[in-house]
Amino acid sequence: MENFITISSFLLFIIFVAVFTWWWVREQDISSLDGYYLAGRRLSFPFIAGSLLLTNLSTEQMVGLNGSAFIDGLSVMAWEVLAVLALVMMALYFLPRFLKSGIATVPQFLGIRFDHGTQVISNLIFLAAYVAILLPIILYTGATALVGMLDIQALTGIESYESIIWVTVWVVGIIGAGYALFGGLSSIAVSDLLNGIGLLIGGLAITYFGLQAVSGGEGVLEGWQTLNEANPERFNSIGGPDQQVPFSTLFTGVLLLNVFYWCTNQQIIQRTFGASSLEEGQKGVLLTGLLKLIGPLYLVLPGIIAFYLYADTGIEADSAYGVLVRDVLPSPMTGLFAGVMVGAILSSFNSALNASSTLFGYGFYKAVWNTEATDDQIVKSGKRFGWVVAIAAMIIAPLLIGQNSIFQYLQQMNGIYFIPILAVILVGMIGPKIPPVAAKWALVLGCLSIATGYFVPPFNGWVAQITEFHFLGAAFVVLVGLMLAIGYFKPLEEAWEQEYTKDVDMTPWKYSVHASVFLVIIVLVIYIYFADFSVLFES
């Protein structure tokens, strides 16, 4: 009976979101480029914030980050809390410059700033990364969570864990591809808002019921006290040198990865390009920053709870979250939350697919193969390419079975392309006389050198000694220095000047600076409150 209630509530929520999304976007034009890829440039701040939040809060976050917290405790909250600083940078610096050019993709901006060759190279890098890294991880972590929450092995009778992961990956992947490729960004933004509300409520409910389980039903505060007394070292915001996020890396690779992710990652920031104005875009981005401040409550604390409950059972870190949900939530809520999790999976998967089809449509089909293509032809080519990408991701995803920490793996692999692209965009914005050749060298050498440092002996041994995140910080400095040096010896004859396309009203939100200062202060307060610096001096 409990399984019936769980599955019924799961299906009802999925159907509700699908029907409501269809009803909301049924009369919108998705045949034009702006309509399909940018939601007609009419997104207001609640939809931008909801879509940003849920695109980020997919299962690689819910499962992966809680899995990291299962291993190391509160110090992994860096990925959530430092994101707030990156979102402030996005609202005040990057977003105004992107919207001024009226772009649909980040490589399109690089094409405007540098040249067509730079745009093509960055398109290739983004697409390769989405196919080989991002999309497979989204599908794999989603399948892992659903198998744990719904006990799909018992429901289907499939005993092999590898087989059930394969089946779940393909079911979710096919549904997600259809969702994204037929509805465009409008359908993604609407469903994201609904699922985002459900994810916040469900995520906090898991923390509540988890703390109740820790206290034996004596209350949340008693559960919090019990966790602190049992494992006080797990409530330290300062990561030790042997942990996944050592404190010193907050100022190098971890910060840079956050800045790229929230300021220049096509999959994430595409919804900000659909903002109806700069004011709405800034409000949406900063609202996301405010919501990220409570992220540790449902992205880190459940992992610490799971450690307390299951540390002696031999459970794998990335499986702990799904088991916790199944064990502590009432059956109807388990089904509803599983539905929300599917929404989260679909959101990130859809967003990456939509970003991939956008990059292909604008960056290759229109720019390289058919310069006279109509809007309808570009949209159709992007949809066809999206199916190819989806199938490739569904094949790769199950091969990730056996990773020790999927979230740590994701961050390391992301560094291969995050750092070179961030360096090129930032230097392109601040250095008006940097030539296109500098951008091309930085993109190609950056990706190759970081991959070499990760995988090729003896370089990977050297990188391991200084940690991957310090290595990424050093790579960023070298790439910026390389571009500035080329710009010094071979500068552009005329400094680049950005033109305002007038696609978006560029009046900023009058409280954007005030809100940004408030968010930065809260970040500092959180870190200081939970800090125990003695861990830095332990041998």
Side-chain angles (χ1 to χ4, degrees), residues 304-438:
I304 299 174
I305 293 170
F307 179 83
Y308 176 86
L309 295 174
Y310 309 127
D312 298 330
T313 67
I315 193 173
E316 291 186 4
D318 288 329
S319 299
Y321 186 73
V323 175
L324 178 69
V325 172
R326 189 179 69 205
D327 286 352
V328 303
L329 283 186
S331 296
M333 288 194 67
T334 301
L336 288 172
F337 190 71
V340 171
M341 287 294 286
V342 169
I345 300 163
L346 295 181
S347 171
S348 287
F349 188 69
N350 296 349
S351 297
L353 270 186
N354 188 263
S356 298
S357 62
T358 306
L359 291 167
F360 178 82
Y362 276 93
F364 288 104
Y365 188 79
K366 171 73 173 176
V368 178
W369 292 322
N370 188 358
T371 56
E372 303 299 323
T374 64
D375 284 10
D376 184 58
Q377 288 175 319
I378 296 172
V379 169
K380 286 181 177 178
S381 71
K383 287 181 178 180
R384 287 192 291 268
F385 181 76
W387 280 109
V388 174
V389 170
I391 292 170
M394 287 184 270
I395 293 172
I396 295 171
L399 304 179
L400 296 173
I401 295 173
Q403 287 292 330
N404 182 42
S405 172
I406 199 68
F407 190 80
Q408 189 75 357
Y409 170 79
L410 172 65
Q411 299 307 327
Q412 291 172 345
M413 296 300 291
N414 279 343
I416 294 174
Y417 71 104
F418 275 22
I419 297 303
I421 291 177
L422 176 61
V424 169
I425 292 173
L426 190 58
V427 173
M429 287 181 172
I430 65 176
K433 301 202 78 173
I434 302 297
V437 66

Side-chain angles (χ1 to χ4, degrees), residues 264-321:
T264 57
N265 185 3
Q266 178 68 31
Q267 175 220 5
I268 293 294
I269 67 173
Q270 184 167 331
R271 58 265 309 115
T272 66
F273 296 162
S276 59
S277 65
L278 174 59
E279 178 180 353
E280 290 297 305
Q282 288 180 320
K283 287 193 289 188
V285 170
L286 293 174
L287 176 57
T288 306
L290 181 64
L291 295 172
K292 293 297 283 182
L293 288 172
I294 64 173
L297 290 178
Y298 53 88
L299 288 172
V300 177
L301 188 52
I304 299 174
I305 293 170
F307 179 83
Y308 176 86
L309 295 174
Y310 309 127
D312 298 330
T313 67
I315 193 173
E316 291 186 4
D318 288 329
S319 299
Y321 186 73

Side-chain angles (χ1 to χ4, degrees), residues 32 46 62 105 136 201 203 261 289 298 309 330 348 388 400 423 426 472 498 508:
S32 66
M62 302 293 284
T105 72
I201 295 172
Y261 185 87
Y298 53 88
L309 295 174
S348 287
V388 174
L400 296 173
L426 190 58
L472 292 178
Q498 187 175 13

Side-chain angles (χ1 to χ4, degrees), residues 471-534:
F471 168 61
L472 292 178
F476 178 79
V477 171
V478 170
L479 292 175
V480 169
L482 172 66
M483 291 187 69
L484 293 176
I486 294 174
Y488 179 80
F489 290 107
K490 290 188 176 182
L492 291 172
E493 293 183 3
E494 295 184 11
W496 176 72
E497 292 186 12
Q498 187 175 13
E499 296 181 5
Y500 176 30
T501 62
K502 299 182 179 180
D503 289 308
V504 180
D505 177 11
M506 292 298 295
T507 305
W509 183 35
K510 61 181 179 180
Y511 298 114
S512 59
V513 175
H514 303 79
S516 298
V517 171
F518 170 77
L519 291 175
V520 172
I521 291 173
I522 296 300
V523 168
L524 294 175
V525 169
I526 290 173
Y527 254 97
I528 293 171
Y529 181 80
F530 287 103
D532 177 7
F533 289 97
S534 64

Side-chain angles (χ1 to χ4, degrees), residues 127-328:
L127 289 174
Y130 287 168
V131 173
I133 301 172
L134 180 61
L135 284 165
I137 287 178
I138 292 170
L139 289 177
Y140 169 69
T141 54
T144 301
L146 290 176
V147 167
M149 279 187 281
L150 298 177
D151 198 8
I152 296 177
Q153 284 175 284
L155 290 173
T156 61
I158 300 175
E159 296 183 2
S160 168
Y161 182 75
E162 288 78 8
S163 298
I164 200 65
I165 290 292
W166 272 95
V167 172
T168 309
V169 160
W170 277 82
V171 170
V172 172
I174 291 170
I175 294 172
Y179 215 107
L181 299 175
F182 289 116
L185 188 60
S186 287
S187 66
I188 294 172
V190 174
S191 60
D192 280 357
L193 183 61
L194 294 174
N195 284 310
I197 294 170
L199 195 67
L200 284 173
I201 295 172
L204 293 172
I206 290 164
T207 302
Y208 171 82
F209 285 108
L211 289 172
Q212 287 280 21
V214 169
S215 69
E218 295 297 318
V220 171
L221 293 179
E222 182 65 26
W224 175 265
Q225 185 70 23
T226 301
L227 282 180
N228 272 278
E229 291 175 356
N231 304 108
E233 74 284 354
R234 291 186 165 268
F235 287 88
N236 186 6
S237 61
I238 307 301
D242 59 341
Q243 293 187 336
Q244 296 176 63
V245 188
F247 180 68
S248 60
T249 64
L250 303 189
F251 308 98
T252 56
V254 174
L255 177 61
L256 291 172
L257 289 174
N258 268 292
V259 173
F260 172 88
Y261 185 87
W262 290 104
C263 300
T264 57
N265 185 3
Q266 178 68 31
Q267 175 220 5
I268 293 294
I269 67 173
Q270 184 167 331
R271 58 265 309 115
T272 66
F273 296 162
S276 59
S277 65
L278 174 59
E279 178 180 353
E280 290 297 305
Q282 288 180 320
K283 287 193 289 188
V285 170
L286 293 174
L287 176 57
T288 306
L290 181 64
L291 295 172
K292 293 297 283 182
L293 288 172
I294 64 173
L297 290 178
Y298 53 88
L299 288 172
V300 177
L301 188 52
I304 299 174
I305 293 170
F307 179 83
Y308 176 86
L309 295 174
Y310 309 127
D312 298 330
T313 67
I315 193 173
E316 291 186 4
D318 288 329
S319 299
Y321 186 73
V323 175
L324 178 69
V325 172
R326 189 179 69 205
D327 286 352
V328 303

